[in-house]
Amino acid sequence: MTVKYTEDHEWVKVDGDTATVGITKYAAEQLGDVVFVELPEQGRSSNKGEEMAVVESVKAASDVYAPVSGIVREANETLEGAPETVNKDPEGEGWFVTLLMSDPSELDGLMDEDAYKKFCEGL
Amino acid sequence: MAEQDTHLLETPLHALHEQLGAKMVGFAGYSMPIQFEGVKAEHLWTREHCGLFDVSHMGPCFLTITGGPRDDAQAHIEVAKLIEQLVPSDIQGLKPGQARLTVLLNEDGGILDDLIITRPRQPHQQGMLYIVVNGAMKHQDWELIRKSVGPHAELTRADDHILVALQGPDAEAVVTGHFPQAAELGFMECIRLEKGDLSCLVSRCGYTGEDGFELLIPSDGVAFVTELLADERVKPIGLGARDSLRLEAGLCLYGHDLDPEKTPVEASLTWVIQKNRREAADFPGATKILDQIANGPRIKRVGIQPLDRAPAREGTPIMYDDVQVGEITSGGFGPSVDAPVAMGYVEVGHAKIGTELTLMVRGKPRAAKVAKLPFVPHNYKR
């Protein structure tokens, strides 16, 4: 499975026409203790780069952007009762949504793991 | 702010923060630690043990009567009268070593800052006041005070000093380990004590709702702070947890919960205006403020408890029946309450504890209730 990354620290795991989206370990560490996640409703469509979800730490609210355009298939209900999952397993159990991609070619513009690693080192 | 945004000042503890792995941010013109190990852990540590906060960015100063302090209670009255021209609290009536929270007011009764004024304890120091104002407001406040007192008193800055707060149930044991005499202090009392060559002002007060102390230490006292931090009960705490702790304690943050548009009555701080000042009606904005005390203000600061898990941040509209009746001025997550907590201003008709309201969080209505402040009980040493 391909995993791609954005400069806003979202990850995208691709399986056919479906993309699972979350925030990276780096982002989760920067945010600190996540206390609330506002997820989009099923069926909502977002364009690449649009605000898709909000993640709240003790101190502040941060937007999460759609890394690719698509329609929300599923939102991770676990995060409603256990938002700390985002800190515990950001790139696994702490996923945010799955998207039915409307333009998979958008993935080409995102970073692979090595490129993202270098990007973070430069911050 | 008077400082340049591009150039951040550093407190005497700056190198220590970096050594401790702090994440630094610009705050009130200073480079300050926002967090060390994490906001939630630091918050909970303070409630259970003892947190050490660097608040050296704040505005400690001394106001001294012309001719210098002297062993004469009349000297206190003289200097107190000067500052009472700007604040509505009874400063003349402070006992030696007593501190009081008050507010600087403009002519409309609006709050220009909140501050703590202390009368020195030693007999030979009468005619002097120890004043601590907010860091972001200090230059403005000092100018206002200097202008107001004119040639009758002199304001001396002490913001080159180290100012640290030790807060939490273990603070007394930690502080009395260095200053045994601090044990005799009650809440809002102050004493000057020596630690080796360091002459420190030790005040029993704070901004967390916990028992604790604030220490004004000469700037060459970094080693003493390092010593305080070496105690296993003490951890350094950043601005992030300072904010969540004071919010749970229902304490105001100037520029957010208080501003020049709000009077002390609207801010639910009527208690800072003692009876003799109300009777004298001799403070800025007295007509408006006394009218609000007699007839009630239009709006009032209250605690707001969101009823689901979504924090409501500053600026969130507060609605009743689709009509906006107020706005959140401080909001976030309270780690000790383990729920979102907030404060805001609402029209007085909706200010009763238990009133059900709606918060518009990013356009989405969310249920909330007017809550009693503080969200966690104060643990002051009375």
Side-chain angles (χ1 to χ4, degrees), chain A residues 33 38 56-59, chain B residues 23 40 243 313 362 366:
Chain A
D33 309 293
E38 186 169 301
E56 302 235 20
S57 64
V58 177
K59 184 71 188 132
Chain B
K23 192 192 280 182
K40 197 169 161 184
D243 192 53
R313 308 285 176 179
R362 293 178 287 270
R366 293 187 180 271

Side-chain angles (χ1 to χ4, degrees), chain A residues 48-66:
Chain A
K48 177 181 156 80
E50 276 180 5
E51 290 161 23
M52 183 183 72
V54 178
V55 55
E56 302 235 20
S57 64
V58 177
K59 184 71 188 132
S62 312
D63 291 320
V64 177
Y65 304 99

Side-chain angles (χ1 to χ4, degrees), chain B residues 22-236:
Chain B
K23 192 192 280 182
M24 306 297 287
V25 296
F27 183 78
Y30 285 78
S31 171
M32 297 296 289
I34 180 108
Q35 67 171 64
F36 293 85
E37 62 172 310
V39 176
K40 197 169 161 184
E42 291 166 31
H43 177 115
L44 295 173
W45 183 270
T46 303
R47 291 253 186 265
E48 283 159 25
H49 304 285
C50 178
L52 186 147
F53 303 72
D54 180 11
V55 287
S56 309
H57 66 291
M58 292 188 74
C61 66
F62 296 93
L63 186 68
T64 312
I65 200 142
T66 302
R70 56 183 200 267
D71 187 355
D72 177 2
Q74 188 56 34
H76 170 69
I77 300 296
E78 286 170 31
V79 76
K81 275 184 177 166
L82 292 173
I83 200 73
E84 281 186 358
Q85 294 175 353
L86 298 171
V87 306
S89 304
D90 177 16
I91 305 304
Q92 294 182 50
L94 285 176
K95 297 185 190 82
Q98 188 189 357
R100 191 160 262 172
L101 175 75
T102 188
V103 286
L104 287 172
L105 294 175
N106 65 24
E107 286 306 316
D108 297 322
I111 300 172
L112 296 172
D113 199 6
D114 58 332
L115 64 160
I116 289 181
I117 299 181
T118 305
R119 175 178 179 181
R121 177 153 144 154
Q122 310 101 299
H124 67 277
Q125 291 290 344
Q126 300 306 304
M128 183 192 273
L129 296 171
Y130 171 43
I131 301 177
V132 181
V133 301
N134 277 302
M137 304 305 295
K138 60 187 178 185
H139 298 289
Q140 191 178 314
D141 291 353
W142 288 337
E143 196 187 319
L144 180 76
I145 294 170
R146 281 188 174 127
K147 217 180 245 174
S148 173
V149 302
H152 306 294
E154 192 181 358
L155 187 146
T156 317
R157 294 169 64 159
D159 61 335
D160 59 334
H161 284 51
I162 298 165
L163 188 62
V164 291
L166 288 126
Q167 301 278 296
D170 288 340
E172 180 173 43
V174 171
V175 170
T176 55
H178 298 276
F179 301 108
Q181 263 188 285
E184 54 188 75
L185 294 178
F187 181 59
M188 299 302 274
E189 288 177 0
C190 175
I191 187 170
R192 184 172 282 282
L193 295 170
E194 315 299 320
K195 166 73 185 174
D197 294 336
L198 301 169
S199 174
C200 304
L201 267 180
V202 180
S203 304
R204 196 153 203 167
C205 61
Y207 195 42
T208 61
E210 298 300 322
D211 181 25
F213 298 83
E214 284 182 7
L215 312 180
L216 184 72
I217 305 167
S219 58
D220 59 353
V222 179
F224 175 37
V225 178
T226 308
E227 202 182 319
L228 287 166
L229 280 166
D231 191 310
E232 61 181 13
R233 294 165 293 191
V234 181
K235 281 189 180 180

Side-chain angles (χ1 to χ4, degrees), chain A residues 62-120:
Chain A
S62 312
D63 291 320
V64 177
Y65 304 99
V68 289
S69 307
I71 293 166
V72 176
R73 267 199 163 145
E74 201 184 349
N76 186 359
E77 283 172 12
T78 309
L79 302 185
E80 229 166 84
E84 64 277 10
T85 313
V86 177
N87 295 110
K88 283 183 192 147
D89 190 10
E91 304 196 15
E93 293 296 310
W95 61 277
F96 278 38
V97 294
T98 57
L99 294 174
L100 175 63
M101 290 185 284
S102 53
D103 183 4
S105 74
E106 288 173 345
L107 290 165
D108 299 340
L110 303 183
M111 290 177 274
D112 63 16
E113 192 177 346
D114 282 347
Y116 178 67
K117 221 170 145 187
K118 276 190 196 124
F119 173 74
C120 287

Side-chain angles (χ1 to χ4, degrees), chain B residues 259-292:
Chain B
D259 63 48
E261 304 297 313
K262 309 284 187 343
T263 70
V265 184
E266 292 163 344
S268 300
L269 293 176
T270 307
W271 60 271
V272 308
I273 314 170
Q274 278 75 30
K275 191 164 163 257
N276 61 344
R277 299 298 309 275
R278 293 182 203 188
E279 286 166 3
D282 59 351
F283 49 87
T287 308
K288 180 174 175 180
I289 286 172
L290 294 169
D291 175 70
Q292 288 185 344

